[in-house]
Amino acid sequence: GGHYTNHHSNKNGDPKTFVRVQADARDNPILRGVTTDEFQVPSWLYKTSPIDPKATLLMMGRVNGRTPEEPVTWTFTRKDGGRSFYTSLGHADDLAIESVRRLIVNGIYWSAGLSIPDSLPDIATFAADAKALPPPRSLIDRFRLDLEKRRLSK
């Protein structure tokens, strides 16, 4: 997709970064539930131009008083149907913004080839469900089990 070269240094939020949905992408399912108004984010704006001409640009960003605008979110579909979703949004403070959370969830669903939900899952319900699951085994435990299986199969 992109061509990262650096980022705009706007530590401590000055100058401010703003992002917006591309007008011709508003109907893209990944943008369902994402505001079409420009909004401020805590992230630093990455310098990612140019993106692959076969990518689908979804969002652009700008830093107050600086040019050029930069691509922030795009998708790419390979010839074999594989899907990629990219966004430079994702700073911990970005996740306090519902449109950012929605964008990321939608992008994951889209990349997996799943239908994008009409609304985000309720976080309290999701957290309770997640706590009910058994903890995942560590990589070391998995490695030990694999070694034991190999030893027993000889």
Side-chain angles (χ1 to χ4, degrees):
H3 180 76
Y4 177 84
T5 56
N6 208 333
H7 61 271
H8 289 274
S9 181
N10 51 335
K11 203 169 190 171
N12 302 320
D14 192 38
K16 301 191 180 327
T17 301
F18 295 88
V19 297
R20 63 174 170 72
V21 168
Q22 282 289 100
D24 61 350
R26 288 183 177 185
D27 293 331
N28 188 295
I30 292 174
L31 299 171
R32 181 180 301 146
V34 176
T35 183
T36 56
D37 296 329
E38 183 177 72
F39 60 98
Q40 184 181 340
V41 294
S43 294
W44 293 359
L45 181 64
Y46 288 3
K47 297 177 182 179
T48 56
S49 292
I51 65 168
D52 189 301
K54 293 181 230 129
T56 300
L57 180 62
L58 301 178
M59 295 179 74
M60 293 291 287
R62 67 178 180 84
V63 172
N64 254 357
R66 298 185 186 164
T67 56
E69 288 189 339
E70 293 287 343
V72 172
T73 304
W74 63 83
T75 61
F76 185 85
T77 303
R78 294 190 321 258
K79 289 179 185 176
D80 67 0
R83 294 173 159 189
S84 307
F85 163 78
Y86 171 85
T87 185
S88 59
L89 302 176
H91 182 282
D93 294 334
D94 288 347
L95 299 176
I97 303 167
E98 183 166 353
S99 282
V100 173
R101 291 193 310 270
R102 186 63 205 245
L103 175 72
I104 292 169
V105 168
N106 291 356
I108 292 167
Y109 274 78
W110 178 86
S111 296
L114 301 172
S115 296
I116 294 172
D118 291 330
S119 60
L120 287 174
D122 175 65
I123 296 300
T125 302
F126 179 79
D129 289 347
K131 285 180 185 174
L133 295 172
R137 292 183 177 256
S138 72
L139 288 177
I140 292 171
D141 288 342
R142 289 181 192 169
F143 180 71
R144 286 182 183 144
L145 285 172
D146 285 346
L147 285 177
E148 184 66 14
K149 285 179 189 175
R150 289 181 195 168
R151 188 184 66 75
L152 293 174
S153 68
K154 289 184 179 181

